[in-house]
């Protein structure tokens, strides 16, 4: 299986290929036979890796993840080398509980703010929970029923406390961090 394909031999690549390149091709072929795709992880192939590198390059101390859901964005940043702090905000009670547990168990500098929705003013309002949790928002989904996929349909409306980002950051002691 580690043999070169006829096309590779015809192009004269047999003599030029290193053992590492042959092994990489073999691994990719074996993975593909099993329904997997193997890619090299680099800045061109990974948005999260580019963002983590950008944050490090600009000495960003804190990332604010507003509408964090389960915390997948923060987890991806940490997995790709981000070493600063992430502060996550989530308004949905169930997602906030999942997020809090995930952050606590991560071993990273990951804080989950008290449950609230970030808005332009503090107070309380209705939060529109859609069938697709990740599309839930203070805003009602735009569009009409006939041109919207069912996942954007509002399944319930819940009351939620709203806070400004400035107030939340002050409460969390983030007044001088580079965000």
């Amino acid at each position: 299986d580690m043999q070169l394909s006829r096309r590779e031999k015809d192009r004269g690549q047999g003599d030029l290929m290193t053992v590492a390149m042959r092994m990489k091709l073999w691994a990719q072929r074996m993975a593909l036979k099993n329904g997997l795709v193997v890619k090299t992880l680099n800045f061109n192939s990974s948005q999260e890796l580019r963002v983590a590198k950008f944050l490090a390059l600009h000495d960003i101390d804190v990332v604010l993840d507003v509408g964090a859901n389960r915390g997948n964005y923060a987890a991806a940043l940490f997995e790709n080398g981000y070493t600063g702090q992430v502060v996550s905000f989530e308004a949905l009670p169930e997602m906030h509980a999942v997020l809090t547990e995930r952050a606590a168990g991560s071993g990273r500098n990951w804080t989950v703010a008290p449950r609230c929705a970030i808005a332009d003013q503090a107070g309380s309002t209705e939060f529109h929970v859609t069938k697709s949790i990740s599309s839930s928002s203070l805003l009602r989904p735009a569009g009409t029923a006939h041109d919207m996929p069912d996942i954007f349909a509002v399944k319930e409306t819940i009351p939620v406390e709203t806070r400004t980002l400035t107030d939340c950051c002050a409460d969390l002691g983030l007044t001088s961090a580079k965000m």
Side-chain angles (χ1 to χ4, degrees), residues 25-99:
L25 285 172
W26 176 82
Q28 287 174 330
R29 288 178 186 143
M30 290 297 102
L32 194 56
K33 285 181 181 180
N34 291 296
L36 303 172
V37 176
V38 177
K39 292 183 177 181
T40 302
L41 182 62
N42 62 42
F43 295 112
N44 294 324
S45 66
S46 170
Q47 168 84 16
E48 292 84 2
L49 193 57
R50 282 193 301 273
V51 171
K53 179 68 174 175
F54 175 86
L55 296 171
L57 182 67
H58 294 284
D59 297 320
I60 303 298
D61 300 315
V62 179
V63 170
L64 305 176
D65 185 8
V66 178
N69 203 286
R70 292 176 179 86
N72 292 343
Y73 185 75
L77 285 179
F78 288 129
E79 288 168 10
N80 284 284
Y82 177 67
T83 58
Q85 180 182 10
V86 173
V87 179
S88 296
F89 298 88
E90 179 55 50
L92 290 173
E94 308 84 31
M95 288 299 101
H96 189 270
V98 169
L99 176 65

Side-chain angles (χ1 to χ4, degrees), residues 1 4 8 17 20-30:
D1 272 325
L4 295 174
E8 291 163 337
M17 295 186 86
M21 291 171 80
R22 288 182 185 165
M23 290 183 72
K24 179 182 171 185
L25 285 172
W26 176 82
Q28 287 174 330
R29 288 178 186 143
M30 290 297 102

Side-chain angles (χ1 to χ4, degrees), residues 144-153:
T144 58
H146 67 276
D147 64 8
M148 263 183 10
D150 192 41
I151 60 170
F152 297 119

Side-chain angles (χ1 to χ4, degrees), residues 2 4 37 40 57 63 83 101 107-108 127-128 132 135 139 170:
M2 288 187 50
L4 295 174
V37 176
T40 302
L57 182 67
V63 170
T83 58
E101 186 176 321
R108 305 293 186 142
F127 195 82
H128 307 285
S132 168
S135 299
L139 304 173

